[in-house]
Amino acid sequence: MRIAVIGGGIVGLTTALELKRELRNANITIFASDFDDTVSHVAAGIFRIGSSYFGPSEEITRKWINDSYEYYNDIRKSAEAGVAGVTNISGYIFANSGPNAVKNKWMEGLVPIYRAATDDEFNIVGGDWKYGAFFTTLLTQCSLHLPWARQKLREDGVSLITRKIDSLSEFGEENPLIINCTGIGARELCDDRRLVPIRGQVIKVKAPWIKNCFYGELDTYIIPGHYGICTLGGSRSFDSVFSGICQHENRAIRERCETLLPSLSKAKTVAYATGLRPHREGNVRVEPEKLTGYSGTIVVHNYGHGGYGVCTAPGTAKYAVQLTKEIHRSTSKL
Ligand SMILES: Cc1cc2nc3c(=O)[nH]c(=O)nc-3n(C[C@H](O)[C@H](O)[C@H](O)COP(=O)(O)OP(=O)(O)OC[C@H]3O[C@@H](n4cnc5c(N)ncnc54)[C@H](O)[C@@H]3O)c2cc1C
């Protein structure tokens, strides 16, 4: 059985790993325009899902989230945690707009701790905050995780080919099964107008003394990663494809983060980065589609994870692979 996975970001690679786990004998090839410069590389990789994240139903979304957490937590507990870039992290979220701003229905009940901040904990940060919460979660650093995943796939016989796919029909009969994990690339590839880029900008600073993550309002976040590098964010520009660095945003991000944690004023900037979150109006798309005009060619789509693709990729990968297996069973191609 031949399967083509298109996309070399977190969604494509976790999908290929899951395919290999479930269908040992499948002949899998991953095609990607780029494996080293993806939106996944820009993400801090924290497991914290916002209320806008949604699959086809509440139940399925919950399952994706639970499966994803379990997937990363298993890696975190394993001997591979360090090379795979998965670790645990804890931190705070503060807000003034209302008590719901520090609540999170996807996270509460999933992570080991999610509770209201104590009075003393409000003094840990700068600013004058009315509401606060403390939580523990996981962090997956893609600069480590993606090369680790690629190495595992190569060892398992999966081919990785750098190639842009201009049309899903270009495989013809060659690959009767395609899994489409192209992130924002699906807007063009599938002409999916529900897929809208939400541009984000971050600053990477050297701040090894910061050990917790911190969130404030207006999309303010401080997330410590490996090697003492902290990600400061952020911004959300709807339907913007500008890939340059905006100096106004840099100043605003710095100012908001330094208000929250004044010690950051001493942190040296090491890099700036931008990325386009693949936000899909309605829901993340994980569903099969039969290509018209090409007998037997079936595509399973797996894209549109918005700002939560790193944390939820393993869950949608599992779901996409189950759909793939069902399709093969029903078309007797297994
Ligand atoms: C600033 C910022 C911070 C973020 N922080 C977090 C976070 O902390 N936690 C979190 O979970 N998420 C976060 N995200 C969101 C996360 O980065 C995305 O949801 C995730 O990376 C999407 O993964 P993907 O694999 O779908 O897309 P990508 O990583 O973009 O990968 C898409 C792949 O498809 C390939 N491709 C596209 N089109 C084609 C084509 N036509 N032919 C061949 N190949 C193609 C690309 O080359 C690439 O390899 C953040 C995003 C941004 C911008």
Side-chain angles (χ1 to χ4, degrees):
M1 177 186 14
R2 296 170 70 89
I3 303 178
V5 175
I6 317 176
I10 189 71
V11 177
L13 298 188
T14 50
T15 300
L17 283 169
E18 180 67 12
L19 275 172
K20 208 60 209 172
R21 207 174 65 82
E22 286 285 318
L23 301 164
R24 289 298 313 162
N25 298 323
N27 179 344
I28 302 164
T29 305
I30 308 176
F31 297 91
S33 314
D34 208 310
F35 284 94
D36 294 305
D37 182 12
T38 70
V39 180
S40 304
H41 285 88
V42 179
I46 195 158
F47 199 107
R48 183 178 169 273
I49 298 146
S51 56
S52 65
Y53 185 81
F54 223 75
S57 71
E58 174 102 12
E59 194 189 345
I60 292 171
T61 314
R62 172 65 68 192
K63 181 152 173 49
W64 289 352
I65 292 170
N66 290 353
D67 287 346
S68 299
Y69 191 87
E70 195 181 318
Y71 175 91
Y72 286 125
N73 205 29
D74 284 347
I75 297 176
R76 181 194 64 82
K77 288 188 279 183
S78 77
E80 300 210 56
V83 277
V86 182
T87 185
N88 51 341
I89 188 168
S90 57
Y92 295 91
I93 175 163
F94 295 100
N96 282 325
S97 54
N100 286 340
V102 300
K103 293 191 176 145
N104 190 312
K105 73 164 185 168
W106 296 128
M107 301 287 284
E108 289 167 44
L110 172 70
V111 296
I113 305 172
Y114 202 108
R115 58 160 175 80
T118 63
D119 288 347
D120 285 345
E121 285 170 327
F122 281 86
N123 297 324
I124 291 174
V125 291
D128 195 12
W129 303 100
K130 278 196 197 131
Y131 310 100
F134 172 84
F135 58 92
T136 58
T137 188
L138 299 169
L139 184 80
T140 301
Q141 194 147 319
C142 280
S143 57
L144 297 171
H145 194 74
L146 299 188
W148 170 83
R150 291 200 299 254
Q151 180 60 24
K152 265 178 92 74
L153 288 162
R154 282 196 193 94
E155 284 167 8
D156 249 347
V158 174
S159 310
L160 285 80
I161 296 176
T162 303
R163 175 176 139 195
K164 182 170 190 285
I165 306 300
D166 293 313
S167 162
L168 288 175
S169 60
E170 72 187 56
F171 294 102
E173 292 279 320
E174 194 189 323
N175 282 97
L177 244 172
I178 299 167
I179 309 199
N180 173 22
C181 309
T182 49
I184 198 65
R187 189 169 153 91
E188 199 182 309
L189 194 61
C190 309
D191 194 24
D192 187 344
R193 299 292 115 187
R194 285 170 67 187
L195 193 62
V196 183
I198 300 187
R199 179 187 176 280
Q201 182 164 319
V202 292
I203 309 175
K204 303 277 179 185
V205 301
K206 185 94 181 156
W209 60 90
I210 293 174
K211 305 294 183 196
N212 293 109
C213 61
F214 295 90
Y215 284 82
E217 285 196 302
L218 281 172
D219 208 31
T220 304
Y221 55 87
I222 299 159
I223 302 174
H226 292 76
Y227 315 121
I229 303 295
C230 234
T231 302
L232 310 187
S235 66
R236 277 170 203 264
S237 308
F238 190 80
D239 211 2
S240 166
V241 292
F242 178 64
S243 61
I245 304 294
C246 170
Q247 293 307 334
H248 297 294
E249 279 184 21
N250 277 343
R251 280 193 290 276
I253 291 169
R254 268 279 185 183
E255 192 183 313
R256 283 185 273 122
C257 290
E258 287 177 18
T259 303
L260 194 57
L261 274 195
S263 71
L264 280 171
S265 60
K266 297 280 180 219
K268 199 166 172 277
T269 297
V270 292
Y272 301 102
T274 63
L276 305 181
R277 300 175 181 94
H279 170 73
R280 192 160 183 271
E281 301 279 316
N283 59 284
V284 181
R285 187 178 190 196
V286 192
E287 64 181 11
E289 182 188 11
K290 191 161 184 186
L291 292 188
T292 48
Y294 294 87
S295 56
T297 302
I298 291 169
V299 183
V300 175
H301 298 287
N302 185 7
Y303 66 82
H305 297 64
Y308 312 102
V310 177
C311 49
T312 61
T316 66
K318 197 169 174 174
Y319 188 79
V321 171
Q322 286 312 313
L323 291 176
T324 306
K325 284 175 73 179
E326 279 165 29
I327 289 161
H328 255 272
R329 230 175 269 130
S330 66
T331 55
S332 314
K333 281 184 176 157
L334 264 179

